[in-house]
Amino acid sequence: MQQTYIGLDVGRSAVKAMAYAEGRIYDLLFPSVVSLAIPISDEATAAKAEAETVEVNGKLFFTGDTARVQSGATTSTGLSNDWIESPEYHALVLSAMKRLKAKGVPGLDNAFIVVGTPAAQYRIQRERLEQVTKAAVNAEVKALSQPMGAYLSWAFNESGLPLQDKLQNQSGRKKSWAVVEVGYFSTDFLLMKEGSYIESKSQSCEGIYLASEHLVRILAEKRQMKVTPLECEQALRSKTVLHYGEKHVEAEVNEAAEFVVTKIMAKANFLFSDEVSKLDGILIAGGGAPLVSPSLQKKWPNSIVLPQPRMAVADGFLRHARALGLKRAVAGAQQAKVQA
């Protein structure tokens, strides 16, 4: 059986996954909400909940929409640097695998999974993240920084082969790219200068959760609306909230977004202002890309929003997994040829 490859981006707002198996690509997206499971008497609701229930250390947990609806959760999970040690992280990984199985993805017991960590935590968390994730799913696991996933989504094709036009120009000059990956917990930055990873530019700052928290305050003060951070997180995308019916809050969302965009722009300017005129482009990814991209593109016209920016990290992780699979296949064929 061919190996199954998975790019898994367990974000604080949503879990995103891309899988490849037997010539087909699968995608997955569900909210990063976890709660202890409770008995449900309605059969139809119980059946739906079972599909989103996992067991961690002998306890049952709801995940995703079931956790959000049944528990009345008011915030997403994991707003701390050590959340990979939590049962919530374990539950989300297990739930992702369970949901992929329900989609018909074969070979999950022979999977190679690439996962990610914020740029600022990569050096100190990489090995531990691999260990924790492998303990949850008993698969081969490799960790990358999240913005590296966005870069790989741009620079490699779906089969894991490098796209030469993204890596060098016709004269052979190696291209340089920066990445701004705007996530919920953190915004992560990366610089690939002439194909080389620049360590000093791999940093992080506040994520979109600050805008959610600010929107809570704005709606309470200006509209007398009591809205949770989780509802405000959704409102950042929809520009609406439910408060005695659906209410449009675009002006308030723009005000809240400006609060965090200012911080992100300051960090981006600090990291890239000396480099930006020499870059082939600044790649913008992550669920918060629509909030930040207008400001970045106005300041730096060589900024590019990646296709499906919210899925870009998981997509790049999958491409990296497939690239490693190709290298192993070539190495195996060469070794077999020598032995023959």
Side-chain angles (χ1 to χ4, degrees), residues 27-41:
D27 58 28
L28 178 68
L29 172 69
F30 65 94
S32 294
V33 184
V34 180
S35 68
L36 285 170
I38 59 173
I40 297 176
S41 57

Side-chain angles (χ1 to χ4, degrees), residues 258-279:
E258 184 179 358
F259 178 75
V260 70
V261 167
T262 300
K263 291 180 176 289
I264 293 171
M265 288 297 297
K267 187 71 171 184
N269 191 63
F270 170 74
L271 291 173
F272 301 140
S273 60
D274 293 339
E275 307 276 356
V276 68
S277 65
K278 304 295 191 295
L279 298 177

Side-chain angles (χ1 to χ4, degrees), residues 132-145:
V132 169
T133 308
K134 184 171 183 176
V137 297
N138 192 30
E140 184 177 1
V141 177
K142 180 177 180 179
L144 296 177
S145 73

Side-chain angles (χ1 to χ4, degrees), residues 63-110:
T63 65
D65 286 326
T66 295
R68 178 179 59 82
V69 173
Q70 294 294 335
S71 72
T74 59
T75 62
S76 293
T77 190
L79 296 182
S80 65
N81 286 326
D82 62 352
W83 90 299
I84 64 170
E85 305 290 349
S86 69
E88 287 82 5
Y89 175 80
H90 196 129
L92 291 172
V93 172
L94 286 176
S95 187
M97 300 300 284
K98 185 174 183 177
R99 291 164 191 255
L100 288 173
K101 183 177 181 179
K103 280 179 169 281
V105 179
L108 293 176
D109 56 348
N110 183 39

